Amino acid sequence: MRYIPAVVIGAGPTGASAAIMLGQHNIQTLVLERWPEVYPLPRAVHFDDEVFRIFAAMDLEGEVSAISRPAPGMRLTDAQHRVLANLRREREIHGYPQANMFDQPDLERVLRNALDKYPSVEFRGGVEVFAVEQAPGIGGVMRVRYREGDTEHEVWTDAVLGCDGANSMTRGVVGAKMEDFRFQQQWLVVDIATTEPLDVYDGVQQVCDSNRAATFMPITPQRYRWEFRLKAGERPGDFTHHRVLELTRPWLENVDLEKVTFLRQACYTFRGVVADKWQRGRVFLLGDAAHQTPPFIGQGLCAGIRDAANLVWKLALVLDGMADDRILDTYEAERRPYARRVVKLAIVVGAAMTGGPAQFNSVRNGAIRAVTRLTGSEDEFVTALWPTFSEGPLVHQGGRGKRTGDVFAQPLIGGQRLDALIGLNWAIIYRGADRTAAFDAETRRFFESLGLSVVRVGAADTEAHALLDFYHADAVLIRPDRIVAAAADSPDLRTWQRRLAAAGINPTTVKELR
């Protein structure tokens, strides 16, 4: 009987990222992927600064920088390509550009290659997983069965991460159904490569036209994408190459088509759905297996990477014997409401930019001009609606206006980025006098066992002071996924220990037993 602590089904960006994170925790992991090689056609094209920060935490900052480029933001235009608004994405509060464009096969190669860094991670491509079964009478152990060619294999495991996409087999194992937000649109996606860059806006252009909504994106210096919404009654077969040339002509009017290669055209149905269950025991859904997001705010790939960042550190604590399964229940409790909010936000933004009867185009476009002048930028609108984690076992409300449950930004402290100071661990960021030494040895040992980093904000660290002011706190407790777990007027180790222990974390007992 072959036993491996964790099995990841699917090696797209979500699955590969989850496997890398497990490798960083030295958890023996088997990755099972349907395709033997990276799927060659482009799909996802955008990730944000929080996700870039996650890639950097996987020690992939240089590789990801090399295959991506920052985008200045989004330009909204009318059907005649007259500018309605420029929505800038220029802040770098997490240490990285807010908007980044990339070609998915390039990113997948970076992630697949990174798997080789970890002796504890084994990748098997060209296999089909056909069963995940709970072993009768053997605790929480599961059997994963897969085919490789004509040969069937099985492996026993403590945890299964289903990163197997929209048509997930794992979703059936969990017993999940998709909550449908009744958003469904067909869009034509066209990808090209050129030998010379096009003379176009460097960010994303959204054509706000109810008659023929469209999106145009420079991906890399020589790759570009269009998305055109199909009208009622149109079918994928209607779009001949001549028809596609007509649709793309406004961007290619003065371009020598001999220098343009049409890589593909395909029709996709954009949906907004979220699974009603994300886990069953230690079988988990991540990425498109758990949620599918319309592309209007560029969060499809990002959501899956966030799933992995939320789950893996918790699972690693459990598999290392430093926490019990109560902590795993926080995965769905935190991520599902968050994903629902993001899907709904994408639907609202898409409707605002492209929806409504054609006769209301001028009214809608006038409203876009007015709203963007009022708010000044997309950031203020999106930030106001962006989800945070509610109070729960791993997010503690501090009272008196203190803020918790969102990602702590990455300021410079003592001339270094925060993540370089704290690594992959829990951390306390504080200002003022150091009161942590005053706590009893047992409390301090609890946090030391978690690898806690303690970082004091100096007088010159203005960005960090501004962040603490934002949280109305002089001390914050940050989880390994950079979520603010607690905020207080000073480090409150005893209270924080009690709450974390109630969530299932108990590292000191395990350390002593070892």
Side-chain angles (χ1 to χ4, degrees):
M1 179 179 81
R2 188 181 186 203
Y3 163 77
I4 294 178
V7 172
V8 177
I9 303 176
T14 298
S17 294
I20 291 167
M21 295 175 196
L22 286 163
Q24 289 180 303
H25 289 282
N26 200 32
I27 301 295
Q28 190 179 4
T29 303
L30 175 64
V31 184
L32 301 174
E33 165 58 34
R34 177 183 176 187
W35 302 103
E37 304 292 340
V38 168
Y39 189 70
L41 294 179
R43 286 158 290 160
V45 294
H46 168 269
F47 59 81
D48 61 24
D49 50 348
E50 286 184 23
V51 169
F52 203 147
R53 185 178 179 185
I54 294 171
F55 289 143
M58 293 192 281
D59 197 26
L60 295 174
E61 179 177 348
E63 292 92 331
V64 171
S65 294
I67 58 93
S68 64
R69 66 170 192 85
M74 175 179 283
R75 173 171 290 173
L76 307 183
T77 72
D78 63 15
Q80 288 72 45
H81 295 226
R82 294 174 297 201
V83 176
L84 303 173
N86 284 308
L87 306 177
R88 295 182 297 277
R89 304 283 283 168
E90 297 173 341
R91 297 187 304 157
E92 291 195 7
I93 63 172
H94 293 286
Y96 302 97
Q98 278 186 288
N100 302 273
M101 309 304 292
F102 70 101
D103 194 33
Q104 182 166 337
D106 291 341
L107 177 63
E108 290 200 23
R109 277 187 284 270
V110 166
L111 297 174
R112 293 269 186 100
N113 290 339
L115 294 176
D116 294 336
K117 298 179 183 178
Y118 302 98
S120 62
V121 177
E122 176 187 352
F123 172 81
R124 301 198 72 83
V127 305
E128 177 192 8
V129 177
F130 64 89
V132 176
E133 304 162 337
Q134 181 69 53
I138 310 181
V141 179
M142 290 156 289
R143 179 172 64 172
V144 178
R145 301 171 66 194
Y146 62 95
R147 295 186 188 92
E148 190 169 15
D150 296 327
T151 306
E152 292 189 3
H153 303 267
E154 66 180 33
V155 61
W156 299 83
T157 185
D158 291 318
V160 175
L161 282 63
C163 308
D164 46 347
N167 298 315
S168 169
M169 180 277 296
T170 316
R171 195 161 54 234
V173 177
V174 170
K177 298 179 181 178
M178 301 306 278
E179 178 187 9
D180 193 339
F181 292 98
R182 300 188 183 280
F183 176 88
Q184 184 169 306
Q185 292 180 351
Q186 273 200 307
W187 287 65
L188 172 71
V189 176
V190 179
D191 288 287
I192 68 166
T194 66
T195 56
E196 294 180 4
L198 303 182
D199 184 16
V200 293
Y201 170 61
D202 203 30
V204 176
Q205 179 189 352
Q206 178 63 55
V207 179
C208 301
D209 178 20
S210 299
N211 183 55
R212 177 71 79 191
T215 310
F216 173 68
M217 296 166 281
I219 308 302
T220 63
Q222 295 183 324
R223 291 207 174 192
Y224 302 84
R225 169 175 291 181
W226 290 267
E227 296 169 353
F228 300 98
R229 194 178 69 197
L230 272 61
K231 301 177 184 179
E234 289 183 330
R235 295 173 296 180
D238 296 336
F239 292 91
T240 63
H241 183 62
H242 177 74
R243 185 85 179 277
V244 170
L245 284 175
E246 289 181 343
L247 291 172
T248 58
R249 182 169 290 121
W251 293 271
L252 298 175
E253 195 168 10
N254 298 314
V255 175
D256 181 359
L257 293 181
E258 293 293 324
K259 299 178 179 179
V260 175
T261 301
F262 283 80
L263 300 173
R264 69 154 182 174
Q265 63 182 66
C267 284
Y268 287 89
T269 300
F270 294 161
R271 292 186 174 92
V273 294
V274 176
D276 63 354
K277 290 177 62 177
W278 286 38
Q279 67 185 93
R280 180 182 178 186
R282 290 191 189 170
V283 181
F284 305 91
L285 302 180
L286 296 83
D288 284 356
H291 43 73
Q292 293 153 46
T293 309
F296 304 111
I297 56 174
Q299 287 298 305
L301 174 139
C302 295
I305 304 300
R306 286 186 173 92
D307 293 343
N310 183 283
L311 174 61
V312 167
W313 68 269
K314 301 171 183 177
L315 181 60
L317 284 177
V318 173
L319 295 179
D320 279 340
M322 299 175 69
D324 62 48
D325 280 40
R326 283 176 292 172
I327 195 174
L328 300 179
D329 294 337
T330 67
Y331 169 61
E332 178 179 338
E334 291 181 342
R335 285 297 304 157
R336 185 170 180 270
Y338 189 106
R340 291 180 82 253
R341 183 75 174 267
V342 169
V343 170
K344 288 182 176 181
L345 180 58
I347 291 171
V348 168
V349 170
M353 295 190 301
T354 67
Q359 59 265 35
F360 292 149
N361 270 342
S362 60
V363 174
R364 186 263 317 285
N365 291 347
I368 288 174
R369 290 190 184 95
V371 168
T372 51
R373 287 195 194 103
L374 179 66
T375 62
S377 74
E378 180 192 25
D379 278 348
E380 294 183 24
F381 172 74
V382 173
T383 300
L385 298 177
W386 201 254
T388 60
F389 293 157
S390 301
E391 182 177 5
L394 294 172
V395 176
H396 314 145
Q397 295 303 318
R400 292 195 295 174
K402 291 178 173 55
R403 183 184 178 103
T404 58
D406 53 9
V407 179
F408 195 77
Q410 186 172 197
L412 291 173
I413 299 179
Q416 288 186 275
R417 284 180 177 167
L418 175 63
D419 291 354
L421 296 172
I422 65 177
L424 303 175
N425 301 317
W426 289 80
I428 291 174
I429 314 301
Y430 77 99
R431 59 187 171 188
D434 181 5
R435 298 183 176 90
T436 59
F439 286 90
D440 60 275
E442 181 182 351
T443 300
R444 296 199 308 272
R445 189 165 62 250
F446 177 94
F447 285 99
E448 288 168 0
S449 298
L450 291 175
L452 179 78
S453 298
V454 180
V455 178
R456 183 178 183 276
V457 175
D461 299 322
T462 55
E463 291 179 352
H465 281 288
L467 264 177
L468 291 173
D469 289 344
F470 175 74
Y471 287 98
H472 303 285
D474 290 325
V476 294
L477 176 66
I478 301 175
R479 305 177 349 182
D481 56 0
R482 308 319 189 214
I483 298 294
V484 177
D489 293 328
S490 65
D492 191 356
L493 296 189
R494 193 171 292 113
T495 298
W496 294 347
Q497 178 198 11
R498 186 173 64 251
R499 290 176 173 174
L500 295 181
I505 300 175
N506 193 8
T508 52
T509 301
V510 173
K511 295 277 187 181
E512 289 166 0
L513 288 175
R514 288 177 179 175

